[in-house]
Amino acid sequence: MEQNNNETKQFEFKAEVKQLLNILVHSLYTNREIFIRELISNASDALDKLRFESNKGTEIEQNDLALEIKLELDDKNNTLTITDTGIGMTEEEIVSNIGTIAKSGSAEFLQQLKEHQNEVNNIIGKFGVGFYSVFMVADKVELITKSYKKDQPAYKWISDGLGSYEITELKEKTNRGTSIKVFLKDDAKDFAQKYRVEQGIKKHSNFISFPIKVGEDQINTVTALWREPKSSVKKDQYKEFYTFLTYDSEEPLEIIHKSVDAPIQFNCLLFIPSKNMDMFGFNREDYGLDLYIRRVLIQHKNKELLPEYLSFVRGVVDSEDLPLNISRETLQENLVFTKIANTVTGQILTTLTQLAKDDKEKYTQFWNEHGKILKMGYADYANRDKYMDLLRFNSSNSLNAKEYTSLAEYVERKKEDQKEIYYMFGASREAVAMDPHVEIFKRKGIEILYLYEPADEFVMSSLGKYNDFNIVSVDQADLINIEKFEDVESSDKKVEELSKDDSLQMNSLLSKMKEYLGERITEVKISSRLKDSPACLVNTDNTMSASMQKIMGIVNKDNAIPKKIMEINQDHHLVRNMLKIFKNDTDDQFIKDATEQLYDSSLLLEGYLSDPHKLVSRINHLLAESSEWYTATKNIK
Ligand code: ADP
Ligand code: MG
């Protein structure tokens, strides 16, 4: 192609594009045909955008051109050309859309891509860098494009995908839209064969809503599956459509296909993926349902149709009752739209409730994959009841960390007069089970829900109540409500009660301990909650659980240690010995060391001990001393 009289400009790809291209060229592919899917998907997007502009009444270049996608194959010269009559691009648009990766998080994306080379095919499409996949099969690409905007020149873009590209303004007459000529690599010649290309289209692009033609033959069947009556859709079709929509090759966990007539007409076809598709956490913003109005795609991944906590749901919504020329900006304020969105949310929650009832195992699978996101629905007050029954927790009643319970099941098992639901936050099941605060609950046989993620704290403290039961953190529980229950575990060795005199001495000991700890705590008192541990810290006010306090401390950049009550287990072996030592000499250094140690250990358990040096040197000192006694009592020389 000679356009000597046209001016050609040279450009370098942005660094991240170069890296991406480098990965693509050096990866091994089992499935290179996905480049066809990506180019067709871009062509279809460009056509959707054009139709949208046209519906809005925007003035459009060559408005009479048929909206379609055409593929031309040349097996002599080994080229494949894909042409659309979509919105095209201006020069600036070429540079910003194709010369750079605009998405945020592209650095992490590239890192992930390097580490998961075998998943390259799916990752590319999901992150939205599909265009570059053409360089898996091409050693050169020539793109000619002309914008739908009036009086824009056409441009030619050429690149070998190595590091640079050039753009030339074209003087000759060009149709609106984009045409991409792919010069196939020697080992990719089969993509100039009709059967091969047709196969790829059928497999990946069958549901594109514009005609896709190879030569003169239309290859795809343009059906709006969601508009078909449920009874006439085959399982395979659902699966095929789901894969088309999500690039997920697995079966969806659940399909919701509904046709609603009153009060508002709409159809929806929704899928719950069997795996969490937010593969590496960088796709958090990539969700939403495709919104159609009378079979015309108005918006890909509309975020207002779904609350964020249901963002794992994929699919389409199509309504007769919205005006075709509605602008995306005003959708949210449209009453019909809001009603559709609310109904969709209701449908999904109902489906999940039913699933939880009918198939526990499948619901557990769902919870493992999507529970983290679903949990964030605590702010949806309108659907709170349904939401709460969908929550699952590990609990002291579960056999292991993988077993879950619902709030309803907890309530069924609770003690007859128990008015509260208890939970405890911790790093792991083992950590929670060993915490001093849970000892009394164990002793009384009261179930505790175990929470492991920081977000769980927000969930629980914002729920407050389940039916008539207050939801309470164990370190905030009022012990009066717990002590009234009989012990279920009988203590293995009975500890002798303190004599009257010793009780008085014990009180003096506690005062001494308070004297040593000073302003660091509010009070030292005898505990009724402890059994195996000598001491623990508890909240003075009941406003926040310990872990919530910690979260708020981080949020407010306040790392002061909150003042708490120190509770002492007067039946503990260590405390009994401290009493003896105290009675002998109220100023014995051991009392001071032990008090400091008990305080530091409690802080450590609560996650507040920022400087462990003192604690460690004290332990070393105590160990050294006890080794003396040990060798002496055992007569070791
Ligand atoms: P994505 O499609 O997810 O945005 P791609 O890498 O596939 O990512 O495409 C990058 C961008 O290039 C598109 O967003 C679009 O702006 C532009 N583009 C690609 N192909 C076309 C086309 N056929 N017509 C108009 N614009 C296109
Ligand atoms: Mg694309």
Side-chain angles (χ1 to χ4, degrees):
M1 302 258 157
E2 278 85 45
Q3 274 106 27
N4 292 335
N5 51 348
N6 291 338
E7 191 195 340
T8 298
K9 297 187 202 160
Q10 299 288 336
F11 296 85
E12 283 281 307
F13 281 117
K14 282 274 153 59
E16 69 271 12
V17 178
K18 280 191 198 169
Q19 276 186 51
L20 172 62
L21 288 167
N22 195 38
I23 295 171
L24 286 177
V25 171
H26 293 105
S27 298
L28 284 173
Y29 304 102
T30 48
N31 199 10
R32 295 199 293 188
E33 71 189 13
I34 61 120
F35 87 91
I36 301 177
R37 173 188 79 189
E38 293 302 327
L39 294 186
I40 287 179
S41 138
N42 286 349
S44 171
D45 287 350
L47 288 163
D48 276 323
K49 288 175 191 160
L50 186 96
R51 190 159 57 180
F52 187 72
E53 289 299 330
S54 172
N55 285 336
K56 259 194 349 197
T58 313
E59 217 192 324
I60 280 165
E61 185 75 23
Q62 293 176 286
N63 210 357
D64 51 347
L65 282 181
L67 300 185
E68 61 182 18
I69 302 165
K70 270 195 160 167
L71 283 85
E72 234 103 30
L73 309 176
D74 178 348
D75 60 5
K76 303 237 156 39
N77 297 305
N78 296 322
T79 64
L80 171 156
T81 308
I82 161 166
T83 306
D84 66 67
T85 48
I87 52 166
M89 283 178 272
T90 61
E91 185 177 11
E92 297 78 59
E93 284 166 348
I94 299 176
V95 174
S96 68
N97 296 345
I98 291 185
T100 53
I101 302 178
K103 293 245 167 76
S104 62
S106 49
E108 300 108 89
F109 163 72
L110 286 167
Q111 192 51 41
Q112 294 296 346
L113 203 53
K114 263 186 220 159
E115 287 164 18
H116 299 83
Q117 298 242 343
N118 51 339
E119 291 174 61
V120 157
N121 292 333
N122 284 329
I123 298 176
I124 285 176
K126 277 181 195 155
F127 193 69
V129 289
F131 175 78
Y132 305 105
S133 66
V134 69
F135 288 105
M136 300 191 300
V137 295
D139 37 36
K140 185 170 102 169
V141 174
E142 224 178 75
L143 175 149
I144 292 173
T145 187
K146 183 167 159 57
S147 171
Y148 73 102
K149 292 170 190 158
K150 284 279 180 194
D151 304 322
Q152 283 284 334
Y155 295 93
K156 177 146 92 178
W157 175 97
I158 298 180
S159 178
D160 57 10
L162 291 180
S164 62
Y165 58 90
E166 56 178 59
I167 297 179
T168 312
E169 185 181 319
L170 299 181
K171 297 279 188 283
E172 53 267 40
K173 187 175 169 343
T174 310
N175 270 347
R176 179 198 75 219
T178 304
S179 177
I180 299 172
K181 187 167 189 178
V182 183
F183 294 81
L184 294 163
K185 289 181 184 172
D186 278 347
D187 62 1
K189 281 180 191 164
D190 51 332
F191 292 110
Q193 301 296 331
K194 193 164 186 239
Y195 83 93
R196 186 72 186 85
V197 171
E198 277 188 25
Q199 196 187 5
I201 295 172
K202 279 246 176 268
K203 184 157 166 208
H204 300 291
S205 310
N206 202 23
F207 291 98
I208 292 286
S209 54
F210 299 95
I212 306 171
K213 295 177 175 169
V214 177
E216 289 307 310
D217 306 332
Q218 180 170 330
I219 307 302
N220 59 330
T221 41
V222 183
T223 46
L225 205 61
W226 56 91
R227 287 275 186 158
E228 307 284 310
K230 214 167 153 176
S231 55
S232 74
V233 183
K234 295 196 187 68
K235 202 164 174 248
D236 282 355
Q237 283 176 294
Y238 281 132
K239 165 83 183 7
E240 213 180 298
F241 183 66
Y242 170 72
T243 308
F244 164 76
L245 211 60
T246 60
Y247 299 164
D248 183 5
S249 51
E250 290 192 35
E251 295 272 340
L253 191 82
E254 200 64 31
I255 301 169
I256 307 171
H257 186 181
K258 283 260 148 45
S259 169
V260 177
D261 287 314
I264 284 158
Q265 191 289 328
F266 75 93
N267 290 56
C268 65
L269 177 50
L270 310 174
F271 300 92
I272 300 175
S274 50
K275 289 269 157 62
N276 174 5
M277 299 214 279
D278 180 19
M279 306 167 101
F280 314 114
F282 56 69
N283 249 353
R284 212 58 280 287
E285 284 301 301
D286 178 39
Y287 71 91
L289 301 178
D290 293 349
L291 175 67
Y292 287 76
I293 299 177
R294 287 166 236 173
R295 293 168 201 255
V296 173
L297 181 67
I298 299 300
Q299 197 181 4
H300 258 311
K301 301 201 171 158
N302 176 293
K303 287 194 172 61
E304 279 75 41
L305 279 167
L306 276 182
E308 198 175 342
Y309 74 94
L310 297 177
S311 59
F312 50 84
V313 178
R314 305 284 145 139
V316 305
V317 170
D318 188 351
S319 177
E320 299 273 337
D321 292 347
L322 285 166
L324 258 177
N325 62 354
I326 194 164
S327 86
R328 288 172 200 179
E329 292 72 37
T330 57
L331 263 178
Q332 272 165 279
E333 293 144 30
N334 184 296
L335 219 62
V336 173
F337 178 82
T338 324
K339 281 197 178 147
I340 293 174
N342 289 340
T343 314
V344 166
T345 298
Q347 280 294 348
I348 297 168
L349 293 176
T350 306
T351 303
L352 289 174
T353 307
Q354 200 58 42
L355 178 66
K357 219 183 268 163
D358 296 347
D359 192 339
K360 248 184 152 177
E361 203 177 314
K362 206 164 161 194
Y363 189 77
T364 301
Q365 189 192 341
F366 161 79
W367 183 257
N368 282 331
E369 292 295 327
H370 306 296
K372 255 191 189 148
I373 301 174
L374 183 74
K375 253 185 230 171
M376 303 321 286
Y378 58 86
D380 185 356
Y381 298 104
N383 292 299
R384 175 144 291 177
D385 289 350
K386 275 187 188 166
Y387 161 81
M388 288 221 264
D389 277 322
L390 291 173
L391 293 173
R392 292 295 176 270
F393 303 91
N394 192 222
S395 104
S396 56
N397 185 65
S398 319
L399 294 175
N400 55 51
K402 294 261 172 301
E403 201 181 287
Y404 299 119
T405 185
S406 66
L407 290 170
E409 287 164 340
Y410 179 105
V411 167
E412 230 166 77
R413 279 190 297 264
K414 72 165 186 51
K415 299 212 173 254
E416 203 173 308
D417 288 331
Q418 189 184 332
K419 298 273 182 295
E420 296 176 321
I421 294 173
Y422 298 103
Y423 70 90
M424 168 86 196
F425 178 78
S428 67
R429 189 174 167 81
E430 290 70 31
V432 181
M434 274 185 339
D435 195 282
H437 295 101
V438 310
E439 287 173 10
I440 186 168
F441 292 84
K442 263 194 229 161
R443 181 149 49 88
K444 302 289 181 185
I446 298 173
E447 181 172 356
I448 300 173
L449 301 175
Y450 289 173
L451 312 181
Y452 307 123
E453 288 160 25
D456 292 340
E457 272 290 335
F458 284 100
V459 176
M460 295 314 250
S461 52
S462 69
L463 290 185
K465 251 177 180 255
Y466 173 73
N467 297 337
D468 288 335
F469 305 100
N470 284 328
I471 301 177
V472 181
S473 168
V474 297
D475 61 343
Q476 287 175 284
D478 191 340
L479 291 191
I480 292 178
N481 296 329
I482 295 159
E483 279 164 347
K484 65 181 181 194
F485 297 111
E486 293 282 318
D487 286 9
V488 289
E489 284 178 12
S490 58
S491 319
D492 9 351
K493 43 179 189 297
K494 279 266 175 279
V495 188
E496 226 176 285
E497 293 240 339
L498 286 177
S499 68
K500 231 190 195 139
D501 183 48
D502 278 353
S503 278
L504 288 175
Q505 293 284 359
M506 180 63 81
N507 284 337
S508 311
L509 170 61
L510 297 195
S511 306
K512 191 82 192 176
M513 292 174 83
K514 163 69 181 145
E515 198 184 306
Y516 287 135
L517 293 171
E519 290 305 300
R520 286 176 281 171
I521 50 162
T522 52
E523 151 185 29
V524 181
K525 69 176 197 189
I526 289 170
S527 179
S528 54
R529 79 178 79 217
L530 297 174
K531 179 162 162 267
D532 302 320
S533 309
C536 74
L537 294 173
V538 293
N539 279 335
T540 50
D541 58 32
N542 278 339
T543 50
M544 257 188 237
S545 70
S547 44
M548 192 63 165
Q549 272 178 2
K550 206 149 17 108
I551 294 170
M552 293 318 287
I554 294 167
V555 172
N556 300 326
K557 297 205 167 52
D558 170 12
N559 49 17
I561 299 168
K563 259 181 153 183
K564 298 193 179 201
I565 299 170
M566 175 133 143
E567 286 193 0
I568 299 293
N569 178 359
Q570 63 171 347
D571 292 340
H572 194 275
H573 186 58
L574 166 63
V575 179
R576 288 290 169 104
N577 278 338
M578 284 169 76
L579 183 64
K580 277 188 206 160
I581 296 168
F582 182 73
K583 284 198 306 194
N584 178 54
D585 171 5
T586 54
D587 289 321
D588 196 306
Q589 177 68 22
F590 184 85
I591 302 290
K592 183 162 196 242
D593 287 348
T595 303
E596 290 289 348
Q597 184 61 37
L598 287 174
Y599 176 70
D600 275 2
S601 302
S602 305
L603 280 188
L604 189 63
L605 281 182
E606 307 255 313
Y608 275 113
L609 191 76
S610 47
D611 182 4
H613 287 94
K614 274 191 186 156
L615 175 131
V616 171
S617 89
R618 211 181 300 116
I619 289 181
N620 288 341
H621 173 72
L622 289 172
L623 275 177
E625 283 198 343
S626 63
S627 67
E628 294 285 340
W629 301 319
Y630 192 77
T631 45
T633 47
K634 288 223 161 179
N635 245 327
I636 303 170
K637 294 243 158 58

